[in-house]
Amino acid sequence: MKEIYHRVKNNLQVISSLLSLQSEYIKDKQDVEIFQKSQQRIASMALIHEKMYRSTDLARINFGEYVQDLVASLCTSYELNEDAIALIFNIDEHILLGLDTALPCGLIIHELVSNALKYAFPEGKKGEIKIEILEYPNKQILLNISDNGIGLPPNFNFNNTASLGWQLVDALATQIDGGINIKNEKGVEFQILFSV
């Protein structure tokens, strides 16, 4: 199993490198951005395989540890100004997830944190992004990503948006049988509750 995780991680890194090389030939700024987002998504999947490879369990990873590494990588990609945006983690330490749940959850976190880093705090506005992952006694997990930024546009409809990122979040939440609840009051809060 370790060898399989290692090979998958290496293959994902090769794909990411190929996208990087290809993006050097693209002139359109928006197209370059699409390639970079794809690279980041692939990197988040490769990180899960790396964690599985290094895990003593081989079937599950410490999800809290993975999330902190994932968010650190995103902050580097988006050149986070730590004086302007604070990251707050509230993650139960004992949450262990298998690959089938960890991959979609990781991609959901990637999309939501990326959106917060990119859009919630325009023009150097200060604020905070909070990542909570809590396990309830009935084997349910609450994934809560929130920020106190500018919020979603007043006419925003999650179900009718053309954005690939929002469509991914919806599809991945469905994949883990999770219900999505969105609050758009003081910033944005996404809650996804699912069973393990």
Side-chain angles (χ1 to χ4, degrees):
M1 285 303 289
K2 279 192 166 209
E3 184 63 24
I4 290 170
Y5 291 136
H6 187 64
R7 287 184 185 209
V8 170
K9 178 201 66 129
N10 287 346
N11 287 334
L12 288 168
Q13 288 177 328
V14 167
I15 293 167
S16 181
S17 296
L18 289 170
L19 285 173
S20 179
L21 288 171
Q22 187 66 48
S23 68
E24 292 177 13
Y25 296 96
I26 299 172
K27 303 294 183 224
D28 184 71
K29 185 179 175 184
Q30 192 173 13
D31 288 344
V32 170
E33 203 172 284
I34 290 169
F35 269 70
Q36 289 171 339
K37 283 181 181 178
S38 295
Q39 280 181 269
Q40 290 171 350
R41 290 175 182 131
I42 291 167
S44 72
M45 294 185 331
L47 180 58
I48 285 179
H49 285 279
E50 173 71 17
K51 294 291 183 190
M52 295 297 270
Y53 170 72
R54 297 194 182 285
S55 173
T56 54
D57 188 326
L58 290 185
R60 302 177 302 172
I61 60 167
N62 179 319
F63 198 65
E65 181 183 297
Y66 162 76
V67 168
Q68 293 198 9
D69 289 349
L70 171 64
V71 172
S73 173
L74 288 172
C75 289
T76 300
S77 294
Y78 285 96
E79 299 174 351
L80 173 70
N81 177 355
E82 294 176 17
D83 295 330
I85 302 172
L87 295 171
I88 299 168
F89 293 93
N90 181 18
I91 302 173
D92 286 345
E93 293 179 20
H94 58 279
I95 295 178
L96 301 173
L97 295 181
L99 190 61
D100 289 345
T101 306
L103 265 173
C105 285
L107 287 168
I108 288 169
I109 293 166
H110 174 273
E111 293 303 319
L112 296 177
V113 172
S114 293
N115 280 342
L117 288 169
K118 192 170 179 183
Y119 301 114
F121 308 103
E123 301 165 7
K125 186 177 189 293
K126 292 187 176 189
E128 63 184 36
I129 299 171
K130 189 172 188 178
I131 299 108
E132 290 184 292
I133 306 169
L134 308 171
E135 186 171 10
Y136 296 136
N138 58 357
K139 297 204 177 233
Q140 286 192 311
I141 293 180
L142 174 67
L143 172 60
N144 192 34
I145 310 291
S146 61
D147 66 66
N148 61 352
I150 62 170
L152 296 170
N155 58 349
F156 180 82
N157 184 335
F158 182 77
N159 295 317
N160 292 332
T161 183
S163 161
L164 175 61
W166 294 124
Q167 290 174 7
L168 272 174
V169 169
D170 187 41
L172 293 165
T174 300
Q175 185 176 331
I176 59 172
D177 293 324
I180 301 175
N181 183 28
I182 304 169
K183 295 178 183 176
N184 189 23
E185 295 161 7
K186 297 174 184 173
V188 180
E189 182 175 1
F190 281 87
Q191 296 177 333
I192 300 175
L193 187 67
F194 62 96
S195 298
V196 289

